[in-house]
Amino acid sequence: QARLMESGGGLVQPGGSLRVACAGAASPFYFNSYTTSWYRQAIGKQREWVASITPGGGTTYAASVTGRFTISRENAVYLQMNDLKPEDTAVYSCYAENTAGSSYWGQGTQVTVSS
């Protein structure tokens, strides 16, 4: 059973915005202790790293999403996606890992950008 659960995916037109969230699946998850990342995988392509946020709040982004996507953390980890393009269409999954070697994946949420 996955420890993490994504939500917020859907269909959006090019240029639109969407926010996806990653939260504990069955119980609270303490994201403050984990580096949490968003990955995406489009049909027929390899999984691609999108963005990460460290326990200290530092953020990094793939070049393809810099300036358009923002990762943030409260009780969940969010990915705000603006100016979406058809090439952003993918299943978006969150991944959390800590320095003790524990790591968890969510099951993913579909984001489709199409007119």
Side-chain angles (χ1 to χ4, degrees):
Q1 184 176 2
R3 285 287 306 275
L4 303 176
M5 180 176 62
E6 299 89 344
S7 61
L11 173 65
V12 63
Q13 292 187 342
S17 297
L18 205 61
R19 188 178 79 159
V20 291
C22 174
S27 59
F29 192 89
Y30 300 100
F31 287 102
N32 287 345
S33 299
Y34 292 78
T35 292
T36 308
S37 303
W38 284 97
Y39 287 81
R40 66 186 181 185
Q41 188 167 19
I43 295 175
K45 295 188 177 182
Q46 290 188 331
R47 185 161 55 198
E48 173 189 26
W49 169 75
V50 176
S52 295
I53 185 165
T54 66
T59 58
T60 51
Y61 299 92
S64 59
V65 306
T66 297
R68 300 189 299 123
F69 290 14
T70 303
I71 189 170
S72 62
R73 182 182 65 223
E74 293 180 12
N75 292 325
V77 172
Y78 302 96
L79 186 69
Q80 175 68 44
M81 302 181 287
N82 299 327
D83 189 23
L84 282 160
K85 306 175 186 301
E87 52 264 40
D88 295 317
T89 295
V91 174
Y92 284 72
S93 301
C94 60
Y95 173 72
E97 61 180 338
N98 65 13
T99 56
S102 298
S103 62
Y104 305 96
W105 282 99
Q107 293 182 329
T109 185
Q110 177 70 46
V111 172
T112 302
V113 185
S114 175
S115 55

